[in-house]
Amino acid sequence: MKAGMEVGQTATIEFEVTPDMFAGFEGNVVHRAYSTVSMVYHMEWASRQIILPFLEEHEEGMGGAVSIKHIAPTTDGTKVRVKATLTEIKNNIVITRTEAWNEKGLIGHGEVKQAILPKEKIIQMIADSKQDKESEINF
């Protein structure tokens, strides 16, 4: 990792809820509201924004754990802001606290853990998983 990543750094993404973000399974919409799956995606994406400037050419970030609480519904066309705040760096593990807000208030919060690994190690882990070997990152 390049120098300069520090606890307290933040990254924010903003978007509008669209029908492809609705809660659904197997192509069937369950609720015409922002899904928990989409919230996880956006929390990971905001968290990734923190690490991107600090990756060396031979490194990549790999998600390893996400814990969220989805606390309020958000409907089509609503603007959402997701903020990630770097709370801890443990060797090559980067931990962020995340919050999602709409115009009415907080709609979710959680934590994302990412590992910064050599690209070659990730390639090898994927190859090993194809051979039914166990690949695990310890968080």
Side-chain angles (χ1 to χ4, degrees):
M1 271 185 298
K2 296 176 187 172
M5 190 183 308
E6 296 178 359
V7 169
Q9 289 176 318
T10 64
T12 302
I13 62 168
E14 295 181 1
F15 54 91
E16 190 172 294
V17 174
T18 57
D20 61 309
M21 298 176 195
F22 289 169
F25 297 94
E26 300 297 319
N28 297 308
V29 172
V30 176
H31 308 290
R32 295 183 52 80
Y34 184 54
S35 70
T36 303
V37 169
S38 293
M39 185 179 287
V40 168
Y41 171 85
H42 289 116
M43 288 181 171
E44 280 197 283
W45 181 231
S47 296
R48 182 165 171 76
Q49 300 307 303
I50 291 175
I51 69 168
L52 285 175
F54 301 100
L55 294 176
E56 300 279 356
E57 182 65 32
H58 70 280
E59 295 175 319
E60 185 52 86
M62 185 176 216
V66 177
S67 173
I68 76 161
K69 185 171 184 180
H70 191 162
I71 58 177
T74 302
T75 57
D76 188 24
T78 303
K79 289 182 173 49
V80 174
R81 182 181 78 250
V82 177
K83 180 179 178 182
T85 303
L86 181 56
T87 58
E88 193 172 353
I89 304 169
K90 294 180 187 177
N91 299 316
N92 68 321
I93 306 300
V94 177
I95 303 169
T96 56
R97 182 183 69 248
T98 56
E99 296 177 329
W101 297 79
N102 66 17
E103 292 105 348
K104 293 182 178 181
L106 186 69
I107 60 169
H109 57 85
E111 180 181 88
V112 175
K113 294 181 182 180
Q114 302 171 84
I116 309 299
L117 298 168
K119 290 177 182 178
E120 287 299 319
K121 179 171 177 126
I122 295 171
I123 291 166
Q124 187 60 54
M125 290 168 64
I126 292 168
D128 288 350
S129 72
K130 288 181 181 180
Q131 298 171 17
D132 293 327
K133 292 183 181 178
E134 191 171 304
S135 296
E136 182 176 320
I137 301 171
N138 295 313
F139 283 97

